[in-house]
Amino acid sequence: MPPLPPNEGPRETIAYIRQSQVEQRQRVFHPDRQLAQLEVYCDQQGLHLCADIWDKGTAGTTPLAQRPGGKELVELVAEGQVGHLVVASLDRLFTKPAEAIRYVREVRARGLTLHILDVGGKVLKLSGGESALFLRIATDLVRMQRKAHGEHVKTVLTQKKSRGERVDTVPFGWQLDVDGRTLIPNPAERALAQRAGAMQCDGIPVRKIAATLAGEGFTTRRGTPITRSAVHQMIQKRF
């Protein structure tokens, strides 16, 4: 990849990194991998990466200026301190075309160059209608891709459930088999739930059921005493 041509204005380069809570659970778009990718790109292009701004656990649907790191980025751009902004993919910044276009207009007079690596590190000048058109098309494609990905994830999760495999947290009354994936009954938890249900059928209030179980030393999986909420959840189970 050839070096960038000379550019007027500041050469300070900011890397923006974002990972949503869903992506954290799915273990994708890891911030460290994003940063490593961006650092390699900047070295190749002769750009001095002076700062990296992170938003962890933040959804792409949250407007950029309302994210902790995004707000800092917007302020730096407004102050004219940023000449180049590098991101691993367009949806790290925006998932809504309207926001992307609005941001283009805001930085139009600042000569900022946006580098998006998932389109081959294409250099985009956020200063004209061509860039705005590209971003509108690109963000629409991102939304389509995310929708397709969401449908794929939903299908995979449904298939896992049908096979009796763990999807997220292990539900009460179940435990993982030796393979670390398949769910099998947890006899102790099921017996506790059945006992709590029987106590309720005998007319014992949930508060007293919780106090009785806690007094006998029963705890939640986190090691905290049994509460009324925990008893309600047990009773609702049908094993």
Side-chain angles (χ1 to χ4, degrees), residues 20 27 31 92 228:
S20 68
R27 299 182 180 180
R92 300 303 91 195
R228 285 181 293 178

Side-chain angles (χ1 to χ4, degrees), residues 104-148:
V104 169
R105 291 170 178 168
E106 291 175 355
V107 301
R108 176 173 297 173
R110 304 189 185 280
L112 184 148
T113 303
L114 172 63
H115 306 255
I116 306 173
L117 272 60
D118 69 345
V119 287
K122 183 178 178 62
V123 177
L124 300 175
K125 292 278 189 179
L126 300 186
S127 57
E130 182 178 353
S131 293
L133 176 61
F134 176 86
L135 284 176
R136 180 178 293 276
I137 295 172
T139 45
D140 281 338
L141 291 174
V142 166
R143 288 201 303 175
M144 293 173 60
Q145 183 180 30
R146 289 171 65 90
K147 181 179 179 180

